[in-house]
Amino acid sequence: MHPKGADSGLLSPSDDAPGLAERYEDDPLIPQDPSAVEKRLLRKLDRRILPITCLLYLFAYLDRSNLGNARLQGLPGDVLGGDPTGVLFDWLVAVFFIPYILCQVPCTVLSKYYNPRVWIGCSAILWGLCSTSMATAYDFGSLLIARLGLGVFEAAFGPSVVLYFSFYYTKAEYGTRIASWFGFAAVAGAFGGLLAYGIENVKISIAHWRLLFLIEGIPTVLLGVLCLFTLPGRPESTSFLTHAERKLAIERMNRGTSGDMGTVVNRRHVIAAFLDWRVYTAGIIYFGLNCALGSLSAFLPTIIETMGHSPALSQLMTVPPYAVTSLVLIIASYISDRIQSRGLMVVSGCTLSGIGYMILLGVPHEHIHVRYLATFCIAAGTYAGVALILAWFTHNLGSETKRATGVPFFTAIGQVGSILGSHLYPLTEGPHYSRGFGVCGTLMFLAALSALILTISYRLENARRNAAYGECDRDAPVDTSELADKAPGFRYLP
């Protein structure tokens, strides 16, 4: 399908005459290649949107998960009275998710009333300040308050970026971009381990964990300020794009669905998201994924330490699993974009992670190489599953308002799994952690089964609509303003 705004596309000027693009962009007498014009727009969007949002997510994940490294650098002994049972540390990990869960839906719906760059930038500045303040903590209560604030402002960031990407990327591009963005969580795991290892070997006058919080918190504030001035707003109003580029961006946003124009919230679609059984099924999948993800980010150094390594080396050995995970994540998402199917990829990722947990549960501790390999399976399967389900549901909810409600709603359900995951590895159950491995593995297999049910239901519903209304162009605009994903012309991504 040719873009609707093809006749008013962009000229490809020579490098020494960039002004020609502006001069001739709306001239209908100049022939344009619609594919080349669209690729040029996509490259322009990628160069501006992906670097800043990916870096923000890198530091978001560092800021929420750095407790695992700080634990090995003496935080419990300095401010938690030693915490011999590990209960206080578990609560510091878990308390982040309470406001993170409660605030996701209202924050994402509310974000539709604001310029995305202002919303995302201010969120980053505020959570960066909370993270930085953790370096000054002197007791359990001060750390608890900082973690609560971190949860509130990161809740305003993550789901809003998932929604924001849908303004500029089509469903054939979206999975890879979400994977690139979410993949920085895996990069954060690798980078966080390297950073913690480096800090551990630095001779300084303050505790190593305090320096860790400072190094990971201050750049977030600076990135948030940068975001205020560089991130594009909504396609219909951003000054970052030319007039012709805005027309093409709006046409792309409406392929296979229809986007809102301006700050609009459809209250009927908010209610529809809460009544959709598929959103709750996605919540089950996300629950299992986040139980694994939450425990992995906080306890992977501790799990590796049970294999007989020193604390410093354990932090360093978290790098390879996260590095491999980043590669697997991009490959899986690229394939899902090309074949336009995400469900079976989610099933595969969850199953791989479940197998990894079963290896840790069943293989004796003397087989450290096999157990270490299992951490690769867990990390790769879990991270791929999270990125793919975010991309899957962003399109399948139909309208922009239902996306703004449904995506943070099922992720909020899933984040309860993070609270569970943070309590599955108390020090008193080490080094075997049989309960933690068993629960996470079971939940991953349940997630795989739920994803299989979802993809079958989408395929059956598409077949029913094709039989009732006929085949349709998957990229043609669909009026979803009334019925969202229930519109007769809308087709699900299975």
Side-chain angles (χ1 to χ4, degrees):
M1 174 179 173
H2 292 276
K4 186 161 50 178
D7 289 339
S8 58
L10 300 176
L11 182 64
S12 178
S14 62
D15 291 339
D16 59 347
L20 291 178
E22 291 283 345
R23 189 182 309 166
Y24 297 123
E25 64 178 1
D26 291 314
D27 191 339
L29 299 179
I30 297 178
Q32 302 290 318
D33 178 359
S35 176
V37 169
E38 188 164 352
K39 288 179 180 178
R40 191 155 51 247
L41 173 62
L42 185 59
R43 288 194 297 269
K44 182 175 181 178
L45 293 172
D46 282 345
R47 287 194 299 266
R48 180 59 66 92
I49 292 173
L50 289 181
I52 185 71
T53 54
C54 288
L55 282 174
L56 279 172
Y57 198 66
L58 168 69
F59 283 97
Y61 214 80
L62 284 173
D63 291 339
R64 82 171 68 166
S65 61
N66 52 18
L67 282 178
N69 292 316
R71 183 186 207 178
L72 298 181
Q73 293 178 342
L75 181 146
D78 290 343
V79 295
L80 302 181
D83 191 25
T85 63
V87 172
L88 292 179
F89 179 83
D90 289 352
W91 274 110
L92 287 177
V93 174
V95 76
F96 164 87
F97 295 102
I98 297 174
Y100 192 69
I101 290 166
L102 296 177
C103 295
Q104 282 197 34
V105 173
C107 282
T108 310
V109 174
L110 190 63
S111 73
K112 281 179 55 60
Y113 289 111
Y114 295 89
N115 189 311
R117 64 180 173 82
V118 175
W119 183 271
I120 293 171
C122 289
S123 300
I125 292 170
L126 291 170
W127 99 63
L129 291 174
C130 290
S131 180
T132 304
S133 69
M134 291 172 64
T136 66
Y138 55 88
D139 61 7
F140 174 74
S142 56
L143 274 175
L144 192 73
I145 292 172
R147 292 283 293 179
L148 283 170
L150 192 68
V152 171
F153 299 119
E154 286 207 22
F157 168 72
S160 299
V161 172
V162 173
L163 177 66
Y164 174 69
F165 275 22
S166 71
F167 298 162
Y168 286 106
Y169 296 113
T170 69
K171 61 179 182 290
E173 304 155 354
Y174 190 82
T176 306
R177 270 69 186 184
I178 283 290
S180 299
W181 174 72
F182 184 74
F184 272 73
V187 174
F191 178 71
L194 284 172
L195 182 62
Y197 180 77
I199 291 174
E200 187 77 17
N201 291 281
V202 173
K203 296 186 182 300
I204 51 174
S205 58
I206 64 172
H208 289 117
W209 60 268
R210 294 187 189 275
L211 179 61
L212 179 70
F213 289 147
L214 288 173
I215 290 177
E216 294 180 354
I218 292 174
T220 305
V221 178
L222 300 178
L223 282 170
V225 174
L226 181 64
C227 182
L228 293 174
F229 298 98
T230 60
L231 198 66
R234 290 185 62 91
E236 66 270 15
S237 59
T238 180
S239 60
F240 170 66
L241 302 178
T242 66
H243 176 67
E245 289 171 334
R246 282 195 295 271
K247 289 167 63 178
L248 179 55
I250 292 170
E251 186 273 330
R252 283 163 46 84
M253 184 172 67
N254 286 282
R255 290 181 187 172
T257 181
S258 58
D260 295 338
M261 296 297 289
T263 56
V264 178
V265 172
N266 188 322
R267 295 183 181 181
R268 293 193 305 275
H269 293 183
V270 173
I271 297 172
F274 287 112
L275 299 178
D276 191 336
W277 70 270
R278 291 188 177 98
V279 173
Y280 291 90
T281 307
I284 294 173
I285 300 170
Y286 212 66
F287 182 94
L289 287 166
N290 272 277
C291 182
L293 191 67
S295 60
L296 192 68
S297 61
F299 295 104
L300 183 58
T302 302
I303 292 171
I304 294 177
E305 189 179 10
T306 66
M307 300 176 190
H309 305 294
S310 67
L313 184 58
S314 297
Q315 292 178 114
L316 188 61
M317 289 185 68
T318 63
V319 175
Y322 284 121
V324 171
T325 291
S326 300
L327 180 63
V328 172
L329 180 58
I330 295 298
I331 292 173
S333 298
Y334 176 77
I335 292 172
S336 77
D337 273 350
R338 292 299 298 268
I339 66 176
Q340 284 295 279
S341 177
R342 310 210 196 276
L344 295 179
M345 302 295 288
V346 175
V347 172
S348 301
C350 294
T351 302
L352 177 64
S353 182
I355 291 172
Y357 278 112
M358 293 302 104
I359 292 174
L360 288 179
L361 187 64
V363 174
H365 278 264
E366 54 265 25
H367 300 289
I368 59 174
H369 299 298
V370 177
R371 291 175 64 82
Y372 187 50
L373 176 64
T375 65
F376 286 77
C377 297
I378 293 168
T382 301
Y383 277 83
V386 171
L388 287 166
I389 195 172
L390 289 173
W392 195 14
F393 264 76
T394 301
H395 171 75
N396 282 353
L397 291 173
S399 74
E400 191 175 306
T401 298
K402 193 172 180 182
R403 287 197 297 269
T405 308
V407 170
F409 182 48
F410 86 71
T411 58
I413 295 172
Q415 291 296 347
V416 178
S418 299
I419 298 178
L420 173 62
S422 67
H423 286 84
L424 289 178
Y425 299 92
L427 293 176
T428 53
E429 295 188 10
H432 300 287
Y433 296 115
S434 299
R435 179 172 63 116
F437 297 148
V439 170
C440 288
T442 301
L443 287 174
M444 293 308 296
F445 288 126
L446 176 61
L449 176 61
S450 300
L452 184 61
I453 292 171
L454 270 182
T455 189
I456 291 173
S457 77
Y458 284 137
R459 294 170 194 273
L460 292 176
E461 180 60 21
N462 283 346
R464 186 193 69 79
R465 292 185 189 181
N466 287 340
Y469 306 109
E471 297 277 351
C472 66
D473 182 354
R474 295 294 182 95
D475 285 336
V478 178
D479 183 6
T480 59
S481 59
E482 292 296 325
L483 299 176
D485 58 308
K486 306 300 181 185
F490 184 83
R491 296 296 181 271
Y492 295 105
L493 197 61

